[in-house]
């Protein structure tokens, strides 16, 4: 990321909304925002393949006791909507996959979800990205992802409906056709 460019544009944004970027509370705001964006949008610098390689530590499925499916629920993430740069928050991700010879370390599943969310995103794409990364990292075509979250572009602006929640589901492989597998995500 180009921190210097971000700082320049944040200063211009402050001026454009009628603020004085030289007032005490705003002097370091461009620098702070650049640092925040670098952290919050870290995932932009990595492809799905690179995230799979970063967090693809696996173990033998035979030694893990995983027989039918591995399920991890309530992984908390947040992201930013690419349409309004608005926060997508209170997001919970449920992931399930059928091992094909190997299983991912459990913390790696949460790390994959977190890194995929650290991009300008759409919730639908986030589910597809997570499924693609899990599939590659675990070596399985059978992945299900459910995401439920709030979008500040719905809750704080526009319609201003604070109770609106969005749910998306992504199914690959066996998850597309098997209701019993889909129910693991509930």
């Amino acid at each position: 990321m180009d921190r210097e460019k971000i700082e320049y544009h944040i200063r211009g944004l402050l001026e454009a909304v009628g603020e004085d970027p030289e007032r005490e509370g705003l002097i370091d705001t461009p620098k702070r925002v650049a640092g925040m964006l670098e952290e919050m949008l870290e995932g932009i610098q990595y492809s799905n393949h690179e995230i799979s390689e970063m967090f693809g530590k696996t173990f033998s499925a035979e030694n893990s006791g995983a027989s039918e499916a591995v399920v991890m629920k309530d992984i908390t993430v947040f992201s930013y909507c690419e349409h309004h740069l608005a926060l997508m928050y209170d997001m919970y991700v449920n992931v399930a996959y059928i091992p094909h010879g190997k299983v991912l370390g459990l913390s790696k599943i949460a790390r994959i979800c977190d890194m995929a969310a650290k991009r300008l995103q759409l919730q639908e794409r986030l589910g597809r990205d997570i499924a693609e990364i899990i599939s590659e990292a675990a070596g399985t075509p059978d992945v299900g992802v459910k995401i439920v979250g709030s979008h500040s572009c719905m809750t704080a602006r526009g319609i201003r409906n604070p109770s609106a929640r969005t749910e998306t589901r992504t199914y690959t492989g066996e998850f597309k056709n098997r209701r019993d597998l889909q129910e693991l995500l509930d």
Side-chain angles (χ1 to χ4, degrees), residues 23-128:
R23 79 172 168 84
E24 184 180 349
L26 295 177
I27 290 173
D28 290 329
T29 296
K31 186 180 293 184
R32 286 191 297 266
V33 170
M36 178 193 71
L37 289 175
E38 190 173 56
E39 178 183 341
M40 306 280 227
L41 299 176
E42 179 185 5
I44 288 174
Q45 65 186 318
Y46 303 109
S47 69
N48 285 352
H49 174 71
E50 289 168 326
I51 295 172
S52 172
E53 288 182 334
M54 286 187 335
F55 302 120
K57 175 70 176 162
T58 60
F59 304 92
S60 168
E62 293 173 13
N63 297 330
S64 73
S67 57
E68 179 64 20
V70 174
V71 181
M72 182 174 276
K73 293 185 176 184
D74 299 326
I75 302 165
T76 305
V77 300
F78 65 89
S79 192
Y80 291 91
C81 164
E82 69 181 30
H83 294 149
H84 300 99
L85 303 183
L87 184 63
M88 297 189 295
Y89 62 99
D90 287 341
M91 293 180 81
Y92 296 93
V93 180
N94 294 348
V95 175
Y97 70 95
I98 300 173
H100 284 248
K102 56 186 180 176
V103 294
L104 283 166
L106 293 178
S107 70
K108 304 308 184 226
I109 297 170
R111 291 180 189 279
I112 286 167
C113 294
D114 181 62
M115 188 62 75
K118 288 183 174 179
R119 300 169 169 166
L120 297 177
Q121 273 289 16
L122 300 174
Q123 186 170 320
E124 300 88 342
R125 184 184 322 115
L126 177 57
R128 287 192 309 270

